[in-house]
Amino acid sequence: MTRRIGFTVRAWTPTEREAVFRLVADGTTWPAWSPIGSFRLERQGGAGGESVGAVRVFTTGGVTSREQIVEIKPAESLT
């Protein structure tokens, strides 16, 4: 059985909002700036790549997290 967990993360940085959003929206960058060990795009979104509907897979150690992008507000939020 799969267990679903939801969470929200908030942080402050002096970097421009658009620059941070580009990093968060591009899963391939996560292993370079976060504790995430690897990233894989399991399914492209409706508009291709990491757009709405995409399924992203992040793995760290033995823990794998799958997330589906349901909404994108450029330079504001990715849910």
Side-chain angles (χ1 to χ4, degrees), residues 53-76:
V55 175
R56 308 187 322 166
V57 179
F58 298 97
T59 302
T60 302
V63 178
T64 298
S65 171
R66 294 176 73 242
E67 64 179 36
Q68 181 174 4
I69 299 174
V70 296
E71 181 180 41
I72 299 174
K73 295 181 184 175
E76 188 176 328

Side-chain angles (χ1 to χ4, degrees), residues 43-57:
R43 182 180 74 209
Q44 291 190 12
E50 294 177 69
S51 61
V52 172
V55 175
R56 308 187 322 166
V57 179

